Each structure stands twice: as structure tokens, then as C-alpha cells.
Amino acid sequence: MLLRFFTAFIGFSEGAMVGTALIAFLTILDIVPRLAQLTNTENYIKVYEVTIAVTVTFISVLAALSIHIHLGKIMVVIIGFLMGTFVGLLASALTEVTNVIPVIINRFGLHDYIKYLFIALAGGKVIGSFIYWTVINK
């Protein structure tokens, strides 16, 4: 009984550390505000934050308890599309925060095409995620 308690405590502590590191990463790099700025949804930053926290907690609990939810193929495609969109926007925001985009724009003279560059980055991530989850990871 004591061993189970310590195992659960260690697992919870490790999860808290990983979650804290993720939040610190998102906070330090201002990923959520930058993501909201890129999508012109600055008024919904609190919604982003709550959604991220609730979703990560919910999925972690489901994974820890080995609970499986059967949603059907259409719902999986919709969720996959939304997850791919978020990851693409997150990658775009992270790339911009780390100043990769400004260097590329200045070096190649792409000042008139910034909007299309971001759409291409996000779209590429969405399409790549879709291909991975539907073709490669069957």
C-alpha cells in the first residue's frame, strides 16, 4: 500500500514538473499572446489559456487511467485538424518569437509576402499533421 502511494506521488510530481515546464516555456516566450496576435483574437487570450490548461489536464487524466473514448472517424478528423492547426500556429508563433522569420524576410526580401509566409507555415503544419495521422500512423 505504501509503495503504491509513493509511486502515485512520484508520478504526480513528475507530471507537475512537466506541466510547469510547459507553462513556463509558453509564458517566457509569450507564445499565447503572440498566437492571439497572429490570429487577431487578442480578446480571447483567457479562453486560450483556460482551454490549454483544461485540455492538457483532461487528456492527462484519460491517459493515466487508460480510458479510451471512441468518437468515430469524422470526429477524429475534426479533432486532428484542430490540433494540427494549433500546432502550426504555435510553431509559427515560436518561429517568430525566436526571430527566425525576420531574418528570412530581410535576407530574401519577402516584406510584401509576410502574410502568405505565415499562412504557408501554418498550412504546411496542418497538412503534415494530417498526412502523418491518416497515412503514416495507421
Side-chain angles (χ1 to χ4, degrees):
M1 180 68 178
L2 190 59
L3 180 63
R4 286 186 181 182
F5 173 76
F6 283 126
T7 304
F9 178 74
I10 290 170
F12 178 78
S13 299
E14 290 175 355
M17 291 300 292
V18 170
T20 303
L22 175 66
I23 296 303
F25 174 73
L26 293 176
T27 303
I28 289 172
L29 294 178
D30 287 334
I31 296 296
V32 173
R34 186 65 190 137
L35 181 62
Q37 185 180 13
L38 284 173
T39 58
N40 293 325
T41 56
E42 291 93 354
N43 297 333
Y44 299 104
I45 288 178
K46 287 291 185 192
V47 174
Y48 281 136
E49 293 170 350
V50 170
T51 302
I52 290 169
V54 169
T55 303
V56 168
T57 303
F58 181 71
I59 290 174
S60 297
V61 168
L62 290 180
L65 299 177
S66 297
I67 297 173
H68 301 283
I69 300 175
H70 301 285
L71 300 173
K73 292 180 181 180
I74 294 173
M75 197 62 180
V76 169
V77 168
I78 291 170
I79 291 171
F81 178 77
L82 293 173
M83 289 172 67
T85 302
F86 176 75
V87 169
L89 291 171
L90 185 66
S92 296
L94 180 60
T95 303
E96 186 172 339
V97 166
T98 56
N99 291 327
V100 172
I101 297 293
V103 171
I104 290 173
I105 289 170
N106 289 332
R107 182 138 321 165
F108 295 113
L110 300 173
H111 297 284
D112 296 333
Y113 305 103
I114 293 173
K115 179 179 179 181
Y116 302 113
L117 185 62
F118 283 120
I119 291 171
L121 285 169
K125 195 66 178 167
V126 169
I127 292 169
S129 296
F130 181 74
I131 290 171
Y132 174 77
W133 288 108
T134 58
V135 177
I136 297 172
N137 192 27
K138 283 186 177 180

